[in-house]
C-alpha cells in the first residue's frame, strides 16, 4: 500500500488497512464503526456481528424495519451490541432542549420545532434511491431528537418533496409528530436564505428560541480539533422568555457546548460496564419504521402508529 498520500494527515498513531476483512480478523478490535453509504449498512453490520464484534452504524442505521430487527436480534443472541450513531443527541441546541424541558421552567410543553435549514440553490447530488434523500439522511437525526425527548408518537404527518432537481431524491421535508398533549415539528429545506430558529420550544409558562446550529462540524472543517481550546463553542445564545402572570421576562443564556464524543463514551459504557444503550432498540426501530412508511406513500400523508 502506497502511504505517501497519508503524510499530510500527520496521523502517526493511526493504522490504515485496505479491507474490512483485516479489521474483522484483528483480535485487538472489539468494536467497528460503519461510515459507508446508507444502502451498505445492513450488509456490513451483519458481517461485523458475525465476526463477533460490536458495531456502531452511521445514519441511517439501515433501510427497513426488517433489517433493523434482524441486526438487533442477532446481536442480542450473541451477546453483542449494535447501535445507531445518533450523535445529534449531543448537538448544543439539543443539550439545551433536554435540560430546559426536564427543568419544567417552561411548564407543560405543547409544541416543539427542530429545523435543519440551509441555502444551497444548486443540487450537486447524484441521482439515487429514496434512501439517499434528505428525508432518510437528516430526517433520521431530527426524528431521533423528537423520540429521545418525548418517546414514540401516536401519529406522524409527512410532506416530502424535491424542489431543486425533480430527478434527484428528496431535498425538502416536514414531519409532524403528534402526541396526546403536544406536537413536534421537524423540517429540512435547502432553499432557506433567511435566518430561522433551529429550535423553538413553547410551553404554557414560557418559550425558548435558538438561532444557529451546533458548531462542531464547522470547527472540524477549520482544522480545530476537539482537544483544542474553544472547540465547539456556540456564539449564538439561547433566548428564554418566561411568563410571570401577565408580565414576560426575557433572558439570554449561553449555549451548552456539544460533544459528539459522548456517543463513543456511551458505547464504551454499554460494552464494558453493561449500562443501557444510549439509543434503545425500540426507539431505533420506531425511527426506521416511521421513515420507511414515509417513503411508501404519496405525500402529504398521515401515518398512525
Amino acid at each position: 500500500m502506497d502511504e505517501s498520500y497519508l503524510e499530510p494527515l500527520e496521523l502517526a498513531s493511526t493504522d490504515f488497512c485496505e479491507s474490512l476483512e483485516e479489521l474483522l480478523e484483528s483480535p485487538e478490535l472489539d468494536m467497528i464503526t460503519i461510515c459507508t453509504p446508507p444502502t451498505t449498512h445492513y450488509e456490513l453490520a451483519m458481517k461485523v456481528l458475525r465476526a463477533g464484534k460490536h458495531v456502531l452504524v452511521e445514519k441511517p442505521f439501515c433501510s427497513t424495519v426488517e433489517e433493523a430487527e434482524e441486526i438487533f436480534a442477532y446481536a442480542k443472541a450473541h451477546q453483542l451490541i449494535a447501535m445507531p450513531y445518533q450523535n445529534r443527541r449531543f448537538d448544543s441546541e439539543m443539550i439545551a432542549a433536554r435540560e430546559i424541558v426536564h427543568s419544567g421552567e417552561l411548564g407543560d410543553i405543547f409544541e416543539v420545532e427542530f429545523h435543519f435549514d440551509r441555502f444551497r440553490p444548486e443540487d450537486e447530488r447524484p441521482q439515487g434511491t429514496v434512501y439517499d434523500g434528505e428525508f432518510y439522511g437528516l430526517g433520521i437525526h431530527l426524528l431521533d431528537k423528537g423520540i429521545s425527548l418525548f418517546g414514540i408518537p401516536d401519529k406522524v404527518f409527512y410532506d416530502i418533496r424535491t424542489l431543486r432537481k425533480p430527478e434527484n431524491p428528496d431535498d425538502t421535508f416536514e414531519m409532524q409528530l403528534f402526541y396526546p398533549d403536544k406536537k413536534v415539528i421537524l423540517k429540512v429545506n435547502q432553499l432557506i436564505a433567511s435566518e430561522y430558529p433551529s429550535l423553538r420550544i413553547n410551553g404554557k409558562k414560557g418559550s425558548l428560541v435558538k438561532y444557529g446550529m451546533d458548531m462542531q462540524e464547522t470547527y472540524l472543517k477549520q482544522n480545530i480539533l476537539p482537544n483544542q481550546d474553544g472547540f465547539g463553542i456556540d456564539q449564538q445564545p439561547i433566548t428564554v422568555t418566561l411568563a410571570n402572570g401577565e408580565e414576560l421576562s426575557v433572558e439570554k443564556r449561553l449555549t451548552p457546548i456539544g460533544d459528539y464524543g459522548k456517543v463513543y463514551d456511551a458505547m464504551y459504557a454499554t460494552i464494558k460496564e453493561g449500562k443501557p444503550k444510549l439509543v434503545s432498540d425500540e426507539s431505533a426501530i420506531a425511527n426506521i419504521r416511521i421513515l420507511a412508511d414515509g417513503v411508501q406513500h404519496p405525500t402529504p400523508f398521515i401515518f398512525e402508529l
Side-chain angles (χ1 to χ4, degrees):
M1 180 178 180
D2 179 11
E3 298 186 357
S4 60
Y5 73 97
L6 299 177
E7 293 176 3
L9 295 177
E10 298 180 356
L11 297 175
S13 62
T14 301
D15 295 327
F16 291 85
C17 65
E18 295 183 306
S19 70
L20 175 61
E21 282 65 32
E22 290 184 50
L23 298 177
L24 298 180
E25 295 170 2
S26 172
E28 299 178 355
L29 299 180
D30 293 329
M31 185 194 82
I32 292 176
T33 301
I34 296 175
C35 303
T36 55
T39 52
T40 67
H41 288 180
Y42 164 74
E43 177 186 356
L44 294 179
M46 290 303 298
K47 277 188 176 182
V48 171
L49 291 171
R50 290 186 181 116
K53 300 186 185 299
H54 310 286
V55 65
L56 185 65
V57 186
E58 251 287 3
K59 53 89 176 175
F61 184 66
C62 54
S63 300
T64 68
V65 171
E66 291 75 19
E67 289 176 350
E69 290 176 337
E70 184 176 348
I71 290 171
F72 290 133
Y74 187 94
K76 184 176 181 179
H78 294 82
Q79 292 78 52
L80 295 169
I81 303 300
M83 195 180 80
Y85 178 71
Q86 289 290 11
N87 63 310
R88 295 287 179 176
R89 291 192 181 196
F90 299 103
D91 277 348
S92 55
E93 64 269 19
M94 183 58 185
I95 296 173
R98 188 181 300 111
E99 290 176 352
I100 291 178
V101 166
H102 290 168
S103 75
E105 64 181 312
L106 299 183
D108 294 334
I109 306 300
F110 60 86
E111 186 175 84
V112 178
E113 286 186 60
F114 285 107
H115 281 245
F116 199 119
D117 296 327
R118 297 177 287 200
F119 185 62
R120 296 181 177 177
E122 298 298 324
D123 189 353
E124 299 178 350
R125 300 173 302 162
Q127 294 185 27
T129 70
V130 293
Y131 306 118
D132 299 308
E134 300 293 5
F135 182 66
Y136 256 80
L138 294 177
I140 201 158
H141 278 317
L142 295 185
L143 184 53
D144 180 70
K145 289 184 176 184
I147 290 175
S148 68
L149 276 178
F150 303 113
I152 299 171
D154 299 323
K155 297 180 182 180
V156 181
F157 165 82
Y158 306 91
D159 184 2
I160 308 168
R161 310 183 190 190
T162 303
L163 295 182
R164 294 173 298 176
K165 284 186 179 180
E167 66 272 20
N168 279 6
D170 64 87
D171 58 8
T172 300
F173 69 82
E174 176 176 345
M175 270 191 287
Q176 295 185 12
L177 313 181
F178 293 94
Y179 298 85
D181 57 351
K182 66 179 66 66
K183 176 173 72 174
V184 178
I185 301 166
L186 313 173
K187 295 188 71 172
V188 167
N189 196 309
Q190 307 292 342
L191 291 174
I192 304 300
S194 61
E195 190 176 24
Y196 192 87
S198 60
L199 170 65
R200 292 174 60 96
I201 303 177
N202 294 313
K204 294 181 179 179
K205 294 182 179 179
S207 298
L208 174 154
V209 175
K210 171 69 174 70
Y211 285 87
M213 302 192 68
D214 183 275
M215 295 291 291
Q216 292 176 80
E217 288 187 8
T218 301
Y219 281 98
L220 291 172
K221 290 174 182 177
Q222 297 172 355
N223 294 319
I224 301 173
L225 301 179
N227 61 350
Q228 294 178 278
D229 291 340
F231 178 83
I233 292 178
D234 188 342
Q235 301 294 341
Q236 299 202 58
I238 299 162
T239 301
V240 177
T241 303
L242 298 175
N244 182 13
E246 295 184 358
E247 295 185 3
L248 298 178
S249 63
V250 180
E251 179 184 350
K252 302 285 186 180
R253 301 183 185 178
L254 294 176
T255 304
I257 296 177
D259 185 357
Y260 296 158
K262 289 186 180 298
V263 177
Y264 293 96
D265 293 341
M267 192 73 172
Y268 179 91
T270 299
I271 294 170
K272 296 296 187 180
E273 302 169 10
K275 293 186 177 180
K277 289 200 280 188
L278 171 70
V279 183
S280 70
D281 295 356
E282 180 186 25
S283 65
I285 289 172
N287 199 324
I288 295 295
R289 176 174 286 113
I290 291 169
L291 292 175
D293 193 83
V295 298
Q296 298 301 317
H297 303 275
T299 60
F301 173 73
I302 295 178
F303 172 57
E304 188 166 346
L305 280 79

